[in-house]
Amino acid sequence: MKQPFLFATAGHDRIGLRRRDTVWLAARLNGDAGTRFVPIWRGRSLVRETPDGLATMLLERDRLAAVDEAVLLGEIAGTAYFAIELAGEEPLAALGLDSAAAAEFQELRAVASRLPATDAALLAQAKGLLFWHSRHRFCAVCGSPTAAEDAGHVRRCRDEACGASHFPRTDPAVIMLVSHGDRVLLGRQKIWAPGLYSVLAGFVEPGETLEAAVAREVREETGIEIEDDVTYRGSQPWPFPSSIMLGFRATARTTEIRIDPDELEDARWVSRRHLIERPDDPALRVPQGGSIARRLVEDWLAEG
């Protein structure tokens, strides 16, 4: 059995039934020395170098002057984990960390593949939830301020006449490997690193099935029509900022490429032989690390 996708290996129990247990929450936040906090600063995660590689830097309660809107992530072997948003210009100094700690706030996307799988999943959950909080300080119904409830898994409007509840949202996106015989369809966006190509992807629209989204995105971006053989291959949480990538395979019915320049800079058919024999081709590189895009390509290459 293959390893799960990056961010998909949750080593903690989300303990949803504890989110409204105010006594239990208060004890974990203020009295339990074992509680650990996952800090996020400007969307970045705190990691540190260790003799065994990169690891998540977790905080104890006594390092924190105050805990505002801590979000319950879950529990591991009786230890509760919360996510917290840090403010200020010098977060390491505020935490009492110096250069000897080898700790640094890093973009999760850049370091996730170096972290243990369970650490990466915990940080992805923390990043996604705190991003949602930062974008929902005000009610989308009436515009009044909102307040966190249920250990950070709900925001409720403070206006009693409104009282609307807002819940974390995840945007579904399809990502699909389209093949035709011994070739695969790859595209690139202008903002990507030079030479980087990947399989196609796009967001699901309201009232649309996943299969219809696959066909539409392929057609809109490249002009390619696909067969009705769309098959599901797996999913990957992708908190950049708040998506879940739903992986599919499909077969092309047509092969003439007509790119939409607003979507892609280039798209091309690439042979399996080229990808196998020239994996380091600087002019045509596929995504690295534990991404679902990489796995889709690897699975297709293995079939040949």
Side-chain angles (χ1 to χ4, degrees):
M1 181 177 178
K2 287 195 173 184
Q3 292 295 319
F5 297 118
L6 188 64
F7 306 130
T9 307
H12 59 287
D13 182 349
R14 297 191 178 216
I15 53 172
L17 295 179
R18 289 292 193 184
R19 294 172 187 171
R20 295 185 180 181
D21 189 338
T22 56
V23 174
W24 184 89
L25 289 168
R28 295 306 178 279
L29 286 171
N30 301 307
D32 189 344
T35 297
R36 293 295 180 266
F37 296 87
V38 179
I40 300 292
W41 178 70
R42 296 181 178 177
R44 298 182 179 185
S45 303
L46 185 60
V47 296
R48 62 188 178 93
E49 294 288 351
T50 74
D52 297 323
L54 198 65
T56 301
M57 182 78 178
L58 300 173
L59 303 179
E60 299 176 3
R61 179 65 181 86
D62 58 9
R63 281 196 180 273
L64 304 170
V67 176
D68 297 322
E69 290 196 0
V71 178
L72 178 62
L73 300 176
E75 190 176 59
I76 303 175
T79 296
Y81 291 78
F82 292 83
I84 55 169
E85 182 80 39
L86 299 181
E89 296 296 326
E90 299 291 340
L92 293 179
L95 295 172
L97 298 174
D98 56 23
S99 58
E104 187 176 1
F105 281 94
Q106 296 271 13
E107 291 288 352
L108 180 58
R109 193 169 183 170
V111 300
S113 62
R114 295 182 55 205
L115 290 168
T118 53
D119 283 22
L122 191 70
L123 293 182
Q125 183 190 4
K127 179 180 176 67
L129 281 168
L130 291 181
F131 176 84
W132 173 75
H133 277 281
S134 73
R135 294 298 189 272
H136 290 80
R137 300 293 183 187
F138 296 91
C139 179
V141 178
C142 73
S144 298
T146 60
E149 295 185 0
D150 291 8
H153 290 264
V154 177
R155 291 195 72 90
R156 196 177 310 279
C157 179
R158 291 181 177 180
D159 186 331
E160 294 183 0
C162 176
S165 297
H166 305 278
F167 299 87
R169 292 290 186 262
T170 297
D171 301 320
V174 291
I175 181 167
M176 46 277 179
L177 183 142
V178 179
S179 61
H180 186 268
D182 209 36
R183 301 184 299 170
V184 63
L185 181 63
L186 299 178
R188 65 167 277 107
Q189 295 182 13
K190 187 179 298 184
I191 62 172
W192 290 356
L196 180 62
Y197 282 75
S198 184
V199 296
L200 306 182
F203 287 103
V204 181
E205 295 186 349
E208 186 175 45
T209 67
L210 300 178
E211 295 82 359
V214 169
R216 175 184 56 76
E217 286 289 345
V218 174
R219 181 174 59 253
E220 289 178 354
E221 293 187 356
T222 66
I224 299 294
E225 299 288 345
I226 63 171
E227 302 286 359
D228 296 328
D229 62 347
V230 177
T231 56
Y232 175 71
R233 303 292 290 186
S235 64
Q236 179 183 35
W238 198 248
F240 308 105
S242 54
S243 302
I244 182 165
M245 306 300 293
L246 305 165
F248 293 88
R249 288 278 297 272
T251 303
R253 180 186 302 136
T254 63
T255 58
E256 181 183 356
I257 296 174
R258 300 185 304 277
I259 66 168
D260 177 354
D262 292 331
E263 296 281 349
L264 299 176
E265 181 182 56
D266 186 33
R268 61 182 65 178
W269 289 105
V270 182
S271 71
R272 180 181 277 115
R273 180 175 181 178
H274 180 98
L275 292 175
I276 292 175
E277 295 183 354
R278 301 187 62 188
D280 299 320
D281 182 357
L284 202 156
R285 299 180 293 109
V286 295
Q288 301 297 311
S291 69
I292 192 170
R294 176 74 180 192
R295 180 74 63 80
L296 288 171
V297 173
E298 287 179 345
D299 287 353
W300 178 77
L301 290 177
E303 293 173 5

